[in-house]
Amino acid sequence: LARLEEKGCVTREKQGRGYLYTATLTRSEYLPAESKSVWQRLFGGSPRSFVAALAETDALTDADIDELAKYLEELKKERK
């Protein structure tokens, strides 16, 4: 928690003998930066490596694969 406080992600307030920590970022503010960091550290920024890791653990069902394919097609259309 001390690291998060140093980074400005949380604040702390003395309460009794301890501290109350409060997030300073919303989930929508935090998630993009953390996702990018994890993506880079674990998969070298490679989407293929990420999907391959999921596939190797049998974590993806056919429905999941269909949902991802549909989402990726929607992203393609939005970027044109």
Side-chain angles (χ1 to χ4, degrees):
L1 285 172
R3 280 189 186 157
L4 291 174
E5 185 181 18
E6 287 174 14
K7 292 179 181 182
C9 297
V10 298
T11 59
R12 73 178 180 166
E13 178 182 329
K14 185 82 169 145
Q15 276 201 344
R17 295 189 306 172
Y19 292 95
L20 172 67
Y21 289 86
T22 306
T24 59
L25 301 172
T26 65
R27 180 181 173 91
S28 61
E29 291 170 330
Y30 173 76
L31 203 52
E34 186 59 22
S35 296
K36 186 175 183 179
S37 174
V38 168
W39 185 269
Q40 287 297 326
R41 278 193 326 265
L42 297 180
F43 305 103
S46 167
R48 182 176 176 85
S49 294
F50 173 67
V51 174
L54 289 174
E56 288 171 7
T57 62
D58 294 325
L60 293 174
T61 66
D62 288 345
D64 293 333
I65 293 168
D66 292 342
E67 184 180 353
L68 284 170
K70 182 179 176 185
Y71 180 70
L72 292 172
E73 281 303 316
E74 290 171 6
L75 279 176
K76 262 189 192 178
K77 288 177 185 175
E78 287 176 11
R79 291 184 177 190
K80 287 184 179 183

